[in-house]
């Protein structure tokens, strides 16, 4: 990858309290955090978020596993499509159940940035690389 893809590159304009933008960036970061070419992750993001408009935890969580696998495949994200679909559904459910569907509620529940990052890593499929990508652009609006 020649350069890091940021939120602005995906036309995501992060602003304080903008839940939809934060969720979109979380999904983009989740996809880019896997061992897959960044352009494929971007293409899959665009299929899921832009084409199919699954741009909130509730909308994404309303997908079936099969629908998400198909969307990921449409974006060329075929290598880990089954597990990624499962983890995206779990991410949506946990965000909805534990944090009322709001990334800012994760922040509110956190003592500090380290605690916030630890809470992010508690989501299935989110590891240090995804947190690093997400925080690169989201830190200024969250902290």
């Amino acid at each position: 990858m020649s350069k890091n893809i940021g939120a602005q590159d995906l036309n995501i304009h992060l602003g304080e309290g903008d839940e939809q933008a934060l969720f979109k960036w979380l999904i983009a970061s989740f996809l880019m955090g896997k061992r897959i070419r960044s352009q494929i992750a971007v293409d899959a993001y665009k299929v899921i978020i832009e084409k199919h408009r699954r741009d909130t935890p509730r909308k994404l969580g309303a997908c079936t596993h099969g629908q998400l696998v198909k969307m990921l495949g449409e974006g060329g994200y075929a290598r880990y499509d089954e597990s990624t679909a499962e983890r995206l559904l779990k991410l949506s459910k946990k965000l909805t159940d534990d944090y009322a569907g709001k990334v800012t509620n994760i922040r509110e529940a956190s003592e500090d940035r380290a605690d916030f990052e630890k809470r992010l890593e508690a989501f299935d499929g989110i590891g240090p690389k995804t947190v690093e990508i997400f925080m690169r652009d989201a830190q200024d609006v969250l902290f």
Side-chain angles (χ1 to χ4, degrees):
M1 173 162 80
S2 59
K3 75 172 196 85
N4 290 328
I5 295 171
Q8 291 286 338
D9 298 316
L10 299 175
N11 205 27
I12 301 171
H13 305 287
L14 295 169
E16 193 171 329
D18 187 341
E19 281 300 328
Q20 191 171 43
L22 284 167
F23 180 72
K24 288 178 179 181
W25 181 235
L26 181 60
I27 296 304
S29 300
F30 177 90
L31 293 168
M32 290 186 288
K34 305 297 175 251
R35 292 176 187 233
I36 197 158
R37 283 192 4 249
S38 58
Q39 189 56 54
I40 291 173
V42 167
D43 292 345
Y45 165 83
K46 288 180 178 180
V47 168
I48 294 168
I49 300 295
E50 295 175 6
K51 181 177 180 184
H52 292 281
R53 303 213 178 275
R54 302 301 182 156
D55 55 1
T56 67
R58 190 172 308 270
K59 288 178 187 176
L60 187 62
C63 288
T64 66
H65 181 265
Q67 287 171 322
L68 269 177
V69 168
K70 187 175 179 184
M71 287 181 217
L72 288 163
E74 192 177 335
Y77 203 107
R79 185 171 176 194
Y80 302 110
D81 58 349
E82 293 283 339
S83 61
T84 300
E86 182 179 327
R87 288 180 172 141
L88 283 169
L89 290 172
K90 286 180 179 179
L91 183 153
S92 296
K93 181 170 176 33
K94 182 175 177 65
L95 187 58
T96 299
D97 291 351
D98 296 357
Y99 300 103
K102 295 182 177 186
V103 175
T104 53
N105 284 349
I106 303 172
R107 171 62 182 110
E108 292 294 320
S110 303
E111 293 178 25
D112 54 21
R113 179 180 168 150
D115 187 36
F116 178 85
E117 291 179 4
K118 182 178 164 191
R119 288 173 185 269
L120 277 183
E121 285 189 32
F123 285 80
D124 190 18
I126 294 183
K129 188 62 176 174
T130 298
V131 170
E132 175 190 322
I133 293 167
F134 179 75
M135 293 305 289
R136 192 175 58 223
D137 285 7
Q139 66 186 348
D140 290 343
V141 298
L142 291 171
F143 293 93

